[in-house]
Amino acid sequence: MKRYVLVLMTLMSLLTAGCGVLRSVEPGAAPEPCVRTGAPRPVSDSESLLMYFEHVRRLSAAELAKEHDAVRQLYARAHSDFNRVRYAMLLSVPGSAFNDDARALEALDPPFKNPAAALHNIAFVVRAQIQEQQRGQGLQQKLDALRSLEKSLIERGRKP
Protein backbone atom coordinates (compact mmCIF):
# COMPACT_ATOMS: atom_id res chain seq x y z
CA MET A 1 0.00 0.00 0.00
CA LYS A 2 2.84 2.40 0.85
CA ARG A 3 4.40 1.83 -2.54
CA TYR A 4 1.09 2.57 -4.25
CA VAL A 5 0.73 5.85 -2.34
CA LEU A 6 4.32 6.82 -3.14
CA VAL A 7 3.75 6.13 -6.83
CA LEU A 8 0.58 8.21 -6.79
CA MET A 9 2.26 11.07 -4.94
CA THR A 10 5.13 11.00 -7.44
CA LEU A 11 2.66 11.08 -10.29
CA MET A 12 0.89 14.05 -8.70
CA SER A 13 4.21 15.87 -8.39
CA LEU A 14 5.09 15.22 -12.02
CA LEU A 15 1.70 16.41 -13.21
CA THR A 16 1.91 19.61 -11.24
CA ALA A 17 5.54 20.51 -11.82
CA GLY A 18 6.31 24.04 -12.89
CA CYS A 19 2.99 25.83 -12.72
CA GLY A 20 1.07 27.89 -10.22
CA VAL A 21 -2.22 26.75 -8.81
CA LEU A 22 -5.62 27.16 -10.34
CA ARG A 23 -7.55 29.24 -7.84
CA SER A 24 -10.89 29.38 -9.55
CA VAL A 25 -14.04 29.49 -7.49
CA GLU A 26 -15.73 26.74 -9.45
CA PRO A 27 -14.46 24.10 -11.82
CA GLY A 28 -14.38 25.12 -15.44
CA ALA A 29 -13.61 28.78 -14.66
CA ALA A 30 -10.74 30.41 -16.52
CA PRO A 31 -7.41 29.61 -14.85
CA GLU A 32 -5.05 32.27 -13.59
CA PRO A 33 -1.92 32.62 -15.69
CA CYS A 34 1.02 30.41 -14.75
CA VAL A 35 4.19 31.99 -13.48
CA ARG A 36 6.37 30.60 -16.26
CA THR A 37 5.64 31.35 -19.87
CA GLY A 38 4.57 28.23 -21.70
CA ALA A 39 3.86 26.29 -18.51
CA PRO A 40 1.02 23.78 -18.82
CA ARG A 41 -2.47 24.84 -17.88
CA PRO A 42 -4.84 22.42 -16.19
CA VAL A 43 -7.14 20.65 -18.61
CA SER A 44 -9.36 18.94 -16.04
CA ASP A 45 -10.73 19.38 -12.56
CA SER A 46 -8.41 16.60 -11.37
CA GLU A 47 -5.38 18.43 -12.72
CA SER A 48 -6.59 21.68 -11.17
CA LEU A 49 -6.92 19.97 -7.80
CA LEU A 50 -3.45 18.45 -8.06
CA MET A 51 -2.03 21.88 -8.76
CA TYR A 52 -4.02 23.25 -5.84
CA PHE A 53 -2.61 20.55 -3.55
CA GLU A 54 0.93 21.55 -4.47
CA HIS A 55 0.09 25.21 -3.88
CA VAL A 56 -1.50 24.62 -0.48
CA ARG A 57 1.47 22.61 0.79
CA ARG A 58 3.72 25.63 0.17
CA LEU A 59 1.63 28.31 1.91
CA SER A 60 2.73 30.03 5.10
CA ALA A 61 0.55 29.66 8.20
CA ALA A 62 -1.08 33.07 7.67
CA GLU A 63 -1.78 32.40 3.99
CA LEU A 64 -3.10 28.96 4.86
CA ALA A 65 -5.53 30.43 7.38
CA LYS A 66 -6.87 32.88 4.77
CA GLU A 67 -7.17 30.09 2.22
CA HIS A 68 -8.99 27.91 4.74
CA ASP A 69 -11.57 30.61 5.42
CA ALA A 70 -12.18 31.20 1.72
CA VAL A 71 -12.48 27.51 0.83
CA ARG A 72 -14.63 26.77 3.89
CA GLN A 73 -17.08 29.46 2.75
CA LEU A 74 -17.15 28.07 -0.79
CA TYR A 75 -17.76 24.57 0.55
CA ALA A 76 -20.56 25.87 2.80
CA ARG A 77 -22.26 27.46 -0.24
CA ALA A 78 -21.89 24.53 -2.61
CA HIS A 79 -21.02 20.95 -1.69
CA SER A 80 -19.83 20.07 -5.20
CA ASP A 81 -17.30 17.27 -5.56
CA PHE A 82 -14.69 19.84 -6.60
CA ASN A 83 -15.27 21.90 -3.45
CA ARG A 84 -15.34 18.75 -1.31
CA VAL A 85 -11.94 17.56 -2.52
CA ARG A 86 -10.41 21.03 -2.27
CA TYR A 87 -11.73 21.45 1.29
CA ALA A 88 -10.46 18.00 2.29
CA MET A 89 -7.02 18.86 0.94
CA LEU A 90 -6.91 21.95 3.13
CA LEU A 91 -8.16 20.13 6.22
CA SER A 92 -5.47 17.48 5.79
CA VAL A 93 -2.46 19.81 5.83
CA PRO A 94 -0.31 18.47 8.68
CA GLY A 95 0.51 20.87 11.48
CA SER A 96 -2.07 23.47 10.49
CA ALA A 97 -4.30 25.01 13.14
CA PHE A 98 -7.42 23.67 11.40
CA ASN A 99 -6.16 20.17 10.58
CA ASP A 100 -9.14 17.83 10.89
CA ASP A 101 -8.70 14.45 9.25
CA ALA A 102 -12.14 13.20 10.31
CA ARG A 103 -13.89 16.17 8.67
CA ALA A 104 -11.68 15.82 5.59
CA LEU A 105 -12.61 12.16 5.20
CA GLU A 106 -16.27 13.03 5.69
CA ALA A 107 -16.07 15.68 2.95
CA LEU A 108 -14.47 13.12 0.60
CA ASP A 109 -17.11 10.42 1.16
CA PRO A 110 -19.52 11.24 -1.72
CA PRO A 111 -16.96 11.34 -4.54
CA PHE A 112 -14.98 8.47 -2.99
CA LYS A 113 -18.01 6.19 -2.64
CA ASN A 114 -19.25 6.92 -6.17
CA PRO A 115 -16.96 5.19 -8.69
CA ALA A 116 -18.76 7.02 -11.51
CA ALA A 117 -17.92 10.45 -10.06
CA ALA A 118 -15.53 12.49 -12.17
CA LEU A 119 -13.31 13.13 -9.14
CA HIS A 120 -13.48 9.61 -7.68
CA ASN A 121 -9.81 8.87 -8.38
CA ILE A 122 -8.50 12.10 -6.88
CA ALA A 123 -10.76 11.58 -3.85
CA PHE A 124 -9.26 8.11 -3.52
CA VAL A 125 -5.71 9.50 -3.58
CA VAL A 126 -6.44 12.26 -1.05
CA ARG A 127 -8.20 9.76 1.22
CA ALA A 128 -5.23 7.37 1.00
CA GLN A 129 -2.85 10.22 1.83
CA ILE A 130 -4.91 11.19 4.89
CA GLN A 131 -5.05 7.58 6.08
CA GLU A 132 -1.28 7.22 5.67
CA GLN A 133 -0.78 10.40 7.73
CA GLN A 134 -3.05 8.98 10.43
CA ARG A 135 -1.14 5.69 10.42
CA GLY A 136 2.14 7.58 10.75
CA GLN A 137 0.79 9.65 13.63
CA GLY A 138 -0.37 6.48 15.38
CA LEU A 139 3.05 4.90 14.95
CA GLN A 140 4.73 8.04 16.25
CA GLN A 141 2.50 8.01 19.35
CA LYS A 142 3.41 4.37 20.00
CA LEU A 143 7.10 5.14 19.56
CA ASP A 144 6.86 8.09 21.94
CA ALA A 145 5.07 5.90 24.53
CA LEU A 146 7.81 3.24 24.23
CA ARG A 147 10.52 5.86 24.65
CA SER A 148 8.78 7.22 27.73
CA LEU A 149 8.45 3.72 29.18
CA GLU A 150 12.10 2.98 28.46
CA LYS A 151 13.16 6.22 30.11
CA SER A 152 11.09 5.50 33.24
CA LEU A 153 12.51 1.95 33.45
CA ILE A 154 16.06 3.27 33.17
CA GLU A 155 15.39 5.87 35.88
CA ARG A 156 13.78 3.25 38.10
CA GLY A 157 16.81 0.97 37.67
CA ARG A 158 19.16 3.74 38.83
CA LYS A 159 17.35 4.33 42.13
CA PRO A 160 18.79 2.47 45.20
Side-chain angles (χ1 to χ4, degrees):
M1 180 67 174
K2 280 186 178 182
R3 189 175 194 177
Y4 181 71
V5 171
L6 288 173
V7 169
L8 289 174
M9 296 302 280
T10 303
L11 178 61
M12 288 184 349
S13 296
L14 290 173
L15 286 173
T16 61
C19 186
V21 67
L22 172 66
R23 296 188 45 111
S24 64
V25 173
E26 287 299 321
E32 289 183 1
C34 292
V35 176
R36 286 186 327 170
T37 313
R41 293 185 181 264
V43 294
S44 68
D45 288 344
S46 293
E47 234 181 303
S48 296
L49 287 165
L50 290 173
M51 291 169 68
Y52 181 73
F53 182 77
E54 180 182 21
H55 168 72
V56 164
R57 301 291 264 192
R58 293 180 178 175
L59 292 177
S60 68
E63 293 169 325
L64 206 53
K66 288 178 187 175
E67 187 69 17
H68 175 259
D69 288 340
V71 171
R72 183 180 44 80
Q73 289 174 9
L74 288 171
Y75 177 69
R77 276 189 255 142
H79 285 17
S80 68
D81 286 352
F82 187 86
N83 285 342
R84 286 178 177 281
V85 175
R86 181 169 46 183
Y87 187 50
M89 286 176 171
L90 263 176
L91 291 173
S92 69
V93 174
S96 65
F98 48 81
N99 179 278
D100 188 343
D101 290 339
R103 207 169 6 151
L105 292 172
E106 181 182 318
L108 286 172
D109 264 354
F112 174 75
K113 289 182 178 178
N114 179 6
L119 297 176
H120 170 77
N121 291 334
I122 192 84
F124 175 83
V125 171
V126 173
R127 185 179 176 93
Q129 181 249 341
I130 292 169
Q131 289 172 333
E132 285 298 316
Q133 279 179 195
Q134 288 177 325
R135 197 168 309 154
Q137 290 168 353
L139 290 173
Q140 185 62 49
Q141 289 173 349
K142 288 177 184 177
L143 181 61
D144 291 344
L146 285 173
R147 284 182 181 159
S148 177
L149 178 64
E150 180 185 31
K151 186 177 179 180
S152 68
L153 289 173
I154 291 170
E155 289 174 3
R156 202 182 295 169
R158 291 183 185 165
K159 292 181 182 178

